[in-house]
Amino acid sequence: MTLTMKPVMKRTLHRTFHRTVIVLACAWLAGCVSVPYHVPAMPLPTVYHEAQDGAAQGAQPDDAIAPDWWRAYDDATLDALLARIDVSNQSLLKSMALLRDARAQVDAARADYFPTVGATASVTSTHLSANVLGHSRAGKTTPDHLLGLGASWEPDLFGRIGNNVDAAKARLQASADDLAAVRLSLQAEAAIDYFGIRSLDREAALLQQTVDAYASVLQLVTNRYKGGIAAEGDVAQAQAQVESTRAQLADLQLARSQVLHALATLVGEPASTFALPALPAQAADAASADIALPATPAAVPATLLQRRPDIAAAERRVAAANAQIGVARAAFFPTLMLNLNGGLESSGLAGWLTAPSRFWAVGPALAATIFDGGKRQAGVDSARAQFDASAADYRETVLKAVQDVEDNYAALRLLDHEAASQQAAVTASSRALQQATDRYRKGAAAYLDVNVVQAAALTDARALEAVHRRQLAASVSLFRALGGGWEGAGAGLQ
């Protein structure tokens, strides 16, 4: 028995086969255009070398840093200041605007998936010259009333649109990460400025108390001079010591004013109207008291890849550059446009809306570049070079982040030792000053000895406060270096 296939069925199968081949060919070509993406390899050490002796007691590498990390310092004034950054800091508002722009760019890229529809309406009159030979409308005026719609659509056969969308989405995520990085940097900078102002207040209180103490000694020296016990030169030295310390106090007040103005800019307020009242006067030893530091957070280097928004932003830019390679490759393939136009056109209004006035045109258009002198290949080479540059930026960002963490772990560990030694120096110099002053009162020592010990004691006390100030700055910087509790907001954007 012989089976025969009807001609209609043969034609149907033949068409189906050809369509399947065309679809598979387009899919294969689209796969050639797309570029698989992998995060650039970046080997990291297993531990932070500088943290091995300086990590907090009981802290674990996987311990999460709270998003509001600054509350670990337990300072209500600091909490209120940092809350103002999100509202009125201009750098942060700029980053927010750039994020909205990136979101709009994604919407614009996605719009290419859909057809473009336009409308045309015109009323024209055309008059041909009467001296045109062989033309049936020569010397006549022809009115034309037209109302039409046009639509065009480019199917994304070779991934140009899809890769553009992927690149725009990656840039949007990078912009969100940039916003988080700017916010973290501003918070840390404001915290460092705030703690700097408070430290300068303590140091100013120390200087003021020192001026008062020196003034008492000056009075003692003056009385001894009037009694014929001390030389006039001792009075001059004591006076010089008082005035020199007052000059240091004035210089310290200038430094406080400048840091205060910087803090005003960070919270988005004019420096002319921003104020932060100074700490009340304290006992002389309070200026050198230990400042309570929060527990040092522990971490392993790999956590930087999840915690640091600047690293996340750099990685998203690598992804965007990878998608641009696909866009450049798509230029080697033809572009298919599906066009549809239709409407009504008539020389007179009477028959404008009748069926004979209709016009339409529909059909595909395929366009391809045959020769361009290597322009498309140059575009691919450029996209690859930009990808390599973005990957290098990503690796450099990771390396600098590791360096940043190591620097601040080292700072906290070594400043702790320095503070202990400096505290011992302050204690010793205070005892030496008391003994020198007692000997001078008893006439057993020259005032020059007291003068030298006074200067040393003040220098040691100010150095101790400076160490405390650096400890706080290093603590804040470590929170920033470890990501400051950032939760990866950019990764969830679509």
Side-chain angles (χ1 to χ4, degrees):
M1 180 176 180
T2 304
L3 294 177
T4 59
M5 189 175 294
K6 295 181 179 180
V8 174
M9 184 178 296
K10 286 184 179 181
R11 287 196 299 270
T12 302
L13 291 175
H14 185 70
R15 290 172 182 172
T16 303
F17 174 76
H18 277 280
R19 289 172 181 171
T20 303
V21 170
I22 292 174
V23 170
L24 292 176
C26 290
W28 178 79
L29 290 173
C32 294
V33 170
S34 61
V35 182
Y37 173 67
H38 304 284
V39 178
M42 188 62 211
L44 290 173
T46 57
V47 296
Y48 291 112
H49 174 73
E50 296 290 351
Q52 295 181 37
D53 298 325
Q57 186 73 21
Q60 298 298 322
D62 293 332
D63 287 350
I65 299 175
D68 51 351
W69 53 269
W70 59 89
R71 296 188 183 277
Y73 296 94
D74 194 22
D75 191 306
T77 304
L78 176 63
D79 296 344
L81 285 172
L82 295 190
R84 297 173 61 181
I85 288 179
D86 271 359
V87 177
S88 52
N89 180 272
Q90 297 305 309
S91 296
L92 194 63
L93 293 177
K94 174 183 176 181
S95 295
M96 291 178 179
L98 292 176
L99 177 61
R100 294 195 301 272
D101 174 65
R103 187 173 287 112
Q105 294 298 328
V106 172
D107 293 340
R110 282 175 172 165
D112 287 339
Y113 280 125
F114 304 97
T116 300
V117 180
T120 303
S122 65
V123 177
T124 60
S125 295
T126 304
H127 180 83
L128 294 181
S129 171
N131 292 326
V132 176
L133 299 178
H135 200 294
S136 61
R137 308 299 296 175
K140 297 181 180 179
T141 300
T142 304
D144 184 37
H145 302 81
L146 182 143
L147 177 64
L149 290 175
S152 62
W153 178 52
E154 177 187 355
D156 191 24
L157 297 180
F158 305 110
R160 182 188 68 82
I161 297 174
N163 280 301
N164 258 330
V165 171
D166 290 342
K169 289 169 63 176
R171 286 191 290 268
L172 170 61
Q173 293 164 348
S175 184
D177 298 333
D178 285 338
L179 174 61
V182 169
R183 178 182 285 112
L184 175 59
S185 179
L186 292 171
Q187 289 169 344
E189 188 176 349
I192 290 173
D193 284 352
Y194 171 75
F195 288 133
I197 290 172
R198 289 315 189 199
S199 178
L200 291 172
D201 286 343
R202 287 187 291 271
E203 193 171 347
L206 168 67
L207 283 172
Q208 184 59 59
Q209 293 158 14
T210 303
V211 167
D212 296 339
Y214 287 176
S216 297
V217 175
L218 173 60
Q219 186 62 49
L220 171 64
V221 175
T222 301
N223 293 338
R224 289 172 63 86
Y225 167 69
K226 291 179 179 179
I229 302 175
E232 185 178 359
D234 291 350
V235 177
Q237 287 180 353
Q239 182 67 41
Q241 191 83 334
V242 172
E243 297 304 329
S244 174
T245 308
R246 284 175 177 162
Q248 294 178 52
L249 179 58
D251 188 65
L252 198 68
Q253 290 168 341
L254 171 60
R256 185 191 192 277
S257 296
Q258 291 173 336
V259 178
L260 182 67
H261 298 161
L263 182 58
T265 300
L266 286 173
V267 301
E269 184 174 329
S272 303
T273 59
F274 183 74
L276 190 64
L279 291 175
Q282 303 175 17
D285 58 350
S288 58
D290 288 338
I291 302 172
L293 293 173
T296 302
V300 295
T303 60
L304 282 183
L305 303 182
Q306 290 81 38
R307 285 185 176 179
R308 292 264 302 216
D310 57 339
I311 292 179
E315 185 276 325
R316 289 291 80 200
R317 289 189 172 88
V318 178
N322 183 79
Q324 287 300 134
I325 297 176
V327 175
R329 281 183 172 183
F332 283 96
F333 299 93
T335 301
L336 175 65
M337 295 296 297
L338 303 180
N339 300 301
L340 171 65
N341 293 284
L344 300 170
E345 185 175 17
S346 175
S347 296
L349 291 176
W352 190 35
L353 298 178
T354 60
S357 296
R358 293 176 301 168
F359 72 90
W360 58 268
V362 62
L366 194 65
T369 301
I370 298 176
F371 177 77
D372 62 0
K375 182 177 180 180
R376 288 170 295 171
Q377 184 58 49
V380 173
D381 294 342
S382 174
R384 289 188 179 279
Q386 292 178 22
F387 172 84
D388 292 340
S390 298
D393 283 342
Y394 168 75
R395 295 189 182 97
E396 183 71 11
T397 302
V398 174
L399 288 173
K400 287 183 176 179
V402 174
Q403 175 191 346
D404 198 11
V405 175
E406 292 282 12
D407 285 348
N408 287 290
Y409 269 132
L412 283 174
R413 177 170 55 84
L414 297 175
L415 284 172
D416 185 57
H417 299 322
E418 184 178 347
S421 298
Q422 193 62 46
Q423 180 63 62
V426 168
T427 302
S429 61
S430 297
R431 186 169 57 250
L433 177 58
Q434 182 179 0
Q435 293 172 353
T437 304
D438 289 343
R439 288 197 306 271
Y440 178 73
R441 290 177 188 274
K442 297 174 182 178
Y447 178 73
L448 180 60
D449 297 335
V450 178
N451 187 279
V452 171
V453 177
Q454 282 178 328
L458 178 59
T459 299
D460 287 338
R462 295 190 68 183
L464 178 59
E465 184 57 49
V467 171
H468 291 158
R469 187 158 59 241
R470 291 167 62 195
Q471 284 180 300
L472 275 170
S475 175
V476 172
S477 297
L478 181 59
F479 276 113
R480 173 173 56 186
L482 291 174
W486 178 71
E487 297 178 329
L493 290 175
Q494 297 298 325

